[in-house]
Amino acid sequence: GGATDMNAFMLNMNPHSTLLSSSNTSSNNTTTGNKSSSSNSPPAGPLLLIPPKKSKNKHKQTFAMKLMNILSLKECQSSIRWMPNGRSFCIVDSKVLVEKVLPVYFKEAKYTSFTRKL
């Protein structure tokens, strides 16, 4: 009885979980000759539902979204731009890309990191 009450209390104190139901059946348990009924019954105690993690920034841009944004800016065309067919892009000046463009739009401003994400 006492251990079950303490576990229920500790589970209820978890701020990241929601208590759905609490049924303390430990005081009502009686020993019977039928072992299958006790093994088939659900475990006694609270049923918890853990909510999904909340995103701090719901509108976080993906790498592809940032890249499309950069490719659409005229001020970035000296370092990166679309090819004439519009189906691929070309890095014209990697030095300018690393020094001027990547630090503004990406937290990692290394050329190798940028190309790895492609």
Side-chain angles (χ1 to χ4, degrees):
T4 304
D5 294 337
M6 183 57 129
N7 289 339
F9 175 72
M10 291 171 64
L11 292 171
N12 287 336
M13 295 304 293
N14 185 350
H16 301 293
S17 64
T18 306
L19 184 66
L20 291 180
S21 66
S22 178
S23 59
N24 188 359
T25 58
S26 62
S27 61
N28 297 334
N29 284 346
T30 58
T31 306
T32 61
N34 188 356
K35 291 183 180 180
S36 64
S37 65
S38 63
S39 65
N40 289 338
S41 64
L47 177 63
L48 296 175
L49 175 66
I50 300 171
K53 292 182 180 179
K54 293 181 180 178
S55 176
K56 291 180 182 178
N57 188 0
K58 293 182 181 180
H59 303 290
K60 183 178 178 183
Q61 286 190 327
T62 63
F63 175 80
M65 294 166 78
K66 290 178 185 179
L67 179 60
M68 292 296 287
N69 186 29
I70 291 169
L71 287 166
S72 68
L73 298 173
K74 290 188 183 228
E75 52 270 6
C76 296
Q77 289 195 5
S78 63
S79 60
I80 186 170
R81 64 175 156 233
W82 286 108
M83 295 296 288
N85 64 10
R87 298 174 77 190
S88 59
F89 65 92
C90 176
I91 297 172
V92 181
D93 190 346
S94 60
K95 187 176 180 182
V96 173
L97 180 73
V98 170
E99 292 175 0
K100 307 269 185 195
V101 179
L102 294 183
V104 175
Y105 295 96
F106 300 100
K107 56 185 169 184
E108 186 65 47
K110 295 181 181 175
Y111 185 74
T112 55
S113 299
F114 176 78
T115 57
R116 188 180 313 122
K117 291 178 184 181
L118 295 173

